[in-house]
């Protein structure tokens, strides 16, 4: 079989594709991956030495992500779910799921990532079936499986075709990109639904589950650390240490990131700025605008126009 032509990037500082980040003092405090602002689909085949991969905290994408591990020993975290992945580990996350990855303890960290805006292919029909693997997973069922080598090559072949259509300027290029992306998604849904490979073990970190649920339930309100700590029967200092250990950020940083992530839905629906602020717990519009731009890279107004067009 001909080797799939997926673009590779040898990374000297951790990478692109939104999966390597540095949260040093001279960088942004929180992260939202913005590769989908200009294009509706993004593909990257990233390779870097394990010690150079840095993703200290949870982040989210402004679209859906398909992550395929091409090495052994990496870890993928989706909030309280933790997956240990070997070569062929396939995982699908939507745009409302905070996640992070850890590189193997040594050697080379290699992975293939496909990110896309769901609206780009939703008009092709069968939207519910198309996005089943991202939105309609049965409760308690692992979202990740390990593909066979034959399945890995099958998927990389189609991803390579998608990458070629992204890079080429040709008549009918957008439709070709849509069809190739749809094929990638359908293949992944089939792997996950049929569990043709072996299911990957899921470890659930239960220590922060009540905190995540509390934040979701009270996202439109003021959330005080004292109340959150009391809800978990912890001191405030214990709560902060636990959040840093589990998510890479403080409780307040996590709450802020979750508020902004949630606000995108309301902006896309066309709600007024005042209404959005009310729904995600901001009393001050100016504060919300500054925070949104800091995380998303564009203003709420710009984002609303971008996603409603």
């Amino acid at each position: 079989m001909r080797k799939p032509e997926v673009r590779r990037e040898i990374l000297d500082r951790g990478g692109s594709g939104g999966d390597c980040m540095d949260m040093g003092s001279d960088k942004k405090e929180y992260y939202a991956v913005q590769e989908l602002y200009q294009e509706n689909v993004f593909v990257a085949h990233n390779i870097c030495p394990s010690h150079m991969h840095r993703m200290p905290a949870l982040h989210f994408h402004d679209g859906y992500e398909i992550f395929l591990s091409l090495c052994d020993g990496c870890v993928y975290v989706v909030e309280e779910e933790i997956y240990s992945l070997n070569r062929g580990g396939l995982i699908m996350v939507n745009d409302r799921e905070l996640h992070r990855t850890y590189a193997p303890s040594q050697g080379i960290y290699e992975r293939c990532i496909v990110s896309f805006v769901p609206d780009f292919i939703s008009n092709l029909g069968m939207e519910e079936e198309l996005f089943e693997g991202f939105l309609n997973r049965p409760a308690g069922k692992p979202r990740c499986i390990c593909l066979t080598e034959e399945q890995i090559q099958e998927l990389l072949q189609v991803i390579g075709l998608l990458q070629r259509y992204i890079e080429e300027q040709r008549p009918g290029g957008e439709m070709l990109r849509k069809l190739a992306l749809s094929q990638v998604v359908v293949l992944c849904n089939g792997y996950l639904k049929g569990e043709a490979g072996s299911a990957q073990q899921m470890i659930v970190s239960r220590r922060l589950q009540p905190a995540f649920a509390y934040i979701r339930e009270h996202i439109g309100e003021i959330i005080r650390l004292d109340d959150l700590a009391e809800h978990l029967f912890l001191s405030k200092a214990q709560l902060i240490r636990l959040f840093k250990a589990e998510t890479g950020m403080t409780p307040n940083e996590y709450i802020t990131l979750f508020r902004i992530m949630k606000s995108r839905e309301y902006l896309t629906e066309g709600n007024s700025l005042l209404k959005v602020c009310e729904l995600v717990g901001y009393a001050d519009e100016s504060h919300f605008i500054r925070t949104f731009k800091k995380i998303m890279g564009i203003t709420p107004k710009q984002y609303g126009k971008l996603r409603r067009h």
Side-chain angles (χ1 to χ4, degrees), residues 4 58 60 67 84 89 119 141 177 187 190 221 232 237 256 287:
L58 296 168
F60 64 87
F67 179 95
S84 180
D119 286 350
K141 183 176 181 180
R177 290 191 291 274
L187 278 174
E221 309 166 17
L232 269 70
T256 298
H287 183 206

Side-chain angles (χ1 to χ4, degrees), residues 260 263-264 267-268 271 273 276-277 285-286 288-294 296-308:
I260 297 303
S263 73
R264 298 170 309 152
L267 289 167
T268 302
N271 289 286
L273 194 59
V276 174
C277 288
E285 287 186 33
S286 297
F288 171 69
I289 292 170
R290 288 195 304 271
T291 306
F292 189 97
K293 186 173 183 181
K294 182 179 182 181
M296 300 299 296
I298 56 179
T299 67
K301 183 178 181 180
Q302 290 170 325
Y303 182 86
K305 287 183 177 179
L306 176 70
R307 286 296 170 241
R308 288 197 298 271

Side-chain angles (χ1 to χ4, degrees), residues 58-271:
L58 296 168
H59 69 282
F60 64 87
H61 296 262
D62 200 44
Y64 294 178
E65 175 179 291
I66 295 169
F67 179 95
L68 176 64
S69 175
L70 295 172
C71 64
D72 293 341
C74 68
V75 174
Y76 200 106
V77 178
V78 187
E79 296 201 345
E80 68 268 25
E81 298 177 11
I82 305 169
Y83 296 90
S84 180
L85 305 183
N86 290 322
R87 177 175 170 83
L90 176 72
I91 193 163
M92 303 161 72
V93 295
N94 63 47
D95 59 347
R96 298 183 295 278
E97 295 176 309
L98 292 165
H99 57 279
R100 68 194 291 197
T101 61
Y102 295 89
S105 58
Q106 59 185 358
I108 296 297
Y109 179 32
E110 182 177 3
R111 61 277 187 208
C112 187
I113 301 162
V114 178
S115 300
F116 66 96
V117 177
D119 286 350
F120 183 56
I121 54 175
S122 62
N123 60 359
L124 294 179
M126 299 188 300
E127 182 176 352
E128 184 175 344
E129 293 86 352
L130 196 58
F131 300 135
E132 184 176 14
F134 297 97
L135 301 173
N136 300 319
R137 293 179 297 268
K141 183 176 181 180
R143 69 178 72 228
C144 179
I145 61 170
C146 187
L147 305 185
T148 66
E149 190 60 36
E150 182 179 355
Q151 292 165 345
I152 293 171
Q153 296 304 321
E154 178 183 44
L155 183 56
L156 287 177
Q157 193 76 39
V158 182
I159 293 174
L161 187 63
L162 171 61
Q163 180 64 50
R164 196 179 89 193
Y165 292 151
I166 291 172
E167 294 177 347
E168 289 180 353
Q169 297 295 324
R170 59 191 292 178
E174 180 172 318
M175 181 55 68
L176 289 171
R177 290 191 291 274
K178 288 183 177 184
L179 292 173
L181 175 59
S182 297
Q183 189 175 357
V184 170
V185 173
V186 169
L187 278 174
C188 291
N189 280 334
Y191 298 144
L192 195 63
K193 189 174 182 179
E195 294 187 3
S198 58
Q200 292 288 98
Q201 181 181 9
M202 175 180 65
I203 301 172
V204 178
S205 176
R206 302 190 185 280
R207 293 185 295 176
L208 280 181
Q209 277 186 319
F212 293 148
Y214 183 93
I215 291 167
R216 293 187 189 104
E217 185 178 345
H218 296 86
I219 197 63
E221 309 166 17
I222 295 174
I223 301 176
R224 297 181 176 86
L225 288 192
D226 289 332
D227 295 336
L228 189 57
E230 183 180 348
H231 185 68
L232 269 70
F233 303 100
L234 298 172
S235 70
K236 190 156 63 173
Q238 289 174 320
L239 176 69
I240 292 171
R241 285 197 297 271
L242 181 57
F243 257 87
K244 288 289 287 185
E246 296 277 338
T247 70
M249 58 182 67
T250 67
N252 280 333
E253 289 171 346
Y254 177 89
I255 292 167
T256 298
L257 191 62
F258 192 85
R259 290 191 199 277
I260 297 303
M261 183 175 70
K262 188 68 177 175
S263 73
R264 298 170 309 152
E265 299 175 38
Y266 302 130
L267 289 167
T268 302
E269 291 169 359
N271 289 286

